[in-house]
Amino acid sequence: AVESTQSTGMQERMCRKAHYLKFDSSRIILRQGDRAEWFYYVLSGTTAVSILEENKTTGSVNLRNVGYLKRGTAFGELALLHGTRRTATVSCKDAVELIAVDKEDFVQMNQLDSDEEKEHIRYCRTLAILRDWPVNLLNEVTGICNFHFFKKGTVMAKSNHDTPFIYIVKSGQVKVLTKVTKIRQRQTQGCRVRSRTVSSRTPSSGIRSSRSDTSSCSNGFRSRINSQSTNGLPPTHGSSRHMKGNLVPLISRLNVGEGAFQDVPIQPTFLQVCVLGAGDSFGLSTLVYSEEISCGIVSLGAECIEISKEFFLKNATENYLRKLKATIRPFPSEDKLQQDIQDQKLWKNYKNSVVASVLDPSSI
């Protein structure tokens, strides 16, 4: 049976249309640049995903392995849905069993029958952000509004500015990520409480808090976001009654570096901005905030409505766009994200300082 990362209706339709395939080790299933003809689901074995990349300086072409797909994973759907060519080569690391669905059947499976197709458009009518936009046009023009299920881990869009679609989440969740290639920090690092130095042990990749809170996503919608910053440091005086001795507030003596800030390059890291849930959108805010930070989205298992951004903007009045700008907010700027990273590092340094002072009261 097909895993539950596909919607129930999709699973039933796939089982009726699927073909069984078996490949020996080292066989190539699909090649980068080929036309998309099949959707694949791995039943057993392991496949390797690789990309041909050209060195712009030397002109040489290198094959880079980017990952592996094992039992329970699917691939090939985005090229079928969007009519693009294959972006990677998939080969067999060992003997592989697959089920495959051809392009025609796969597209039909993703297009619900006429009554169901109208249901997701009716859902659009219930959204406040589309209240003053002519939703009825979605019924009149084919190909500008699609409804799909994106399995967990699918990269739906790499950039909110470059994607040709506006995504509206109908069910499930979608992660919003942005790439960070540098961290802003002071030229002199350290965390001192009097003469005792405490390492912050903050990883160079930035924020790595595992705690999460329900909060408001930066584009104005309700979502679940990682706790990536604090609104200043908590007071210390409330903790003193739980510890032996008199713990003097340490924040006035906490030194996290002196001197001007500088940008320090790091390995490219994807920072989670927020999580979108039912009723939230992606790509819409770029219509009114051209300078919005570049973000991408990855599905956590979600049913989404895709609307052509070009068609949407063509039929949006100036009055609607003004109301939209007053309703939604852009994702946080790079400066805000860098400040969040600094706040998190400061908070970690502060906690380490408190722990060090409790373990060694003589340092107070």
Side-chain angles (χ1 to χ4, degrees), residues 193 196 198 236 238-250 253 349-364:
V193 181
R196 183 181 179 87
V198 181
T236 60
S239 303
S240 60
R241 66 178 180 272
H242 300 295
M243 306 173 187
K244 293 181 179 180
N246 232 352
L247 181 61
V248 179
L250 297 173
R253 288 183 279 166
N349 288 349
Y350 172 77
K351 289 193 295 184
N352 287 338
S353 299
V354 173
V355 170
S357 299
V358 171
L359 296 178
D360 184 9
S362 64
S363 66
I364 301 180

Side-chain angles (χ1 to χ4, degrees), residues 44 196 228 273 291:
S44 69
R196 183 181 179 87
Q228 297 173 336
V273 178
E291 300 302 318

Side-chain angles (χ1 to χ4, degrees), residues 246-265:
N246 232 352
L247 181 61
V248 179
L250 297 173
I251 187 59
S252 62
R253 288 183 279 166
L254 185 63
N255 174 23
V256 291
E258 298 175 353
F261 280 102
Q262 63 178 355
D263 290 334
V264 178

Side-chain angles (χ1 to χ4, degrees), residues 170-328:
K170 187 173 183 294
S171 68
Q173 292 184 320
V174 172
K175 287 194 298 186
V176 179
L177 305 173
T178 188
K179 182 191 274 189
V180 177
T181 58
K182 60 187 178 182
I183 285 184
R184 191 164 300 159
Q185 62 185 26
R186 293 189 186 276
Q187 292 178 351
T188 302
Q189 291 295 312
C191 177
R192 292 184 178 275
V193 181
R194 287 193 178 180
S195 62
R196 183 181 179 87
T197 301
V198 181
S199 171
S200 66
R201 296 187 182 179
T202 303
S204 60
S205 58
I207 300 167
R208 300 190 59 82
S209 172
S210 60
R211 183 172 57 90
S212 62
D213 300 313
T214 299
S215 183
S216 174
C217 185
S218 57
N219 64 0
F221 299 117
R222 174 197 58 75
S223 63
R224 184 170 294 274
I225 65 173
N226 277 354
S227 295
Q228 297 173 336
S229 65
T230 58
N231 297 321
L233 295 175
T236 60
H237 58 272
S239 303
S240 60
R241 66 178 180 272
H242 300 295
M243 306 173 187
K244 293 181 179 180
N246 232 352
L247 181 61
V248 179
L250 297 173
I251 187 59
S252 62
R253 288 183 279 166
L254 185 63
N255 174 23
V256 291
E258 298 175 353
F261 280 102
Q262 63 178 355
D263 290 334
V264 178
I266 61 171
Q267 285 289 95
T269 301
F270 286 94
L271 185 69
Q272 182 172 306
V273 178
C274 66
V275 175
L276 304 179
D280 294 348
S281 73
F282 178 82
L284 187 60
S285 54
T286 60
L287 301 182
V288 290
Y289 295 105
S290 60
E291 300 302 318
E292 183 177 62
I293 190 172
S294 179
C295 297
I297 48 173
V298 176
S299 175
L300 292 174
E303 291 181 313
C304 294
I305 301 164
E306 291 179 335
I307 302 175
S308 166
K309 190 183 288 187
E310 181 182 1
F311 180 85
F312 189 95
L313 187 58
K314 180 181 178 180
N315 292 280
T317 64
E318 290 295 327
N319 185 51
Y320 169 77
L321 293 176
R322 283 195 297 270
K323 288 183 178 179
L324 182 66
K325 191 169 186 177
T327 303
I328 64 176

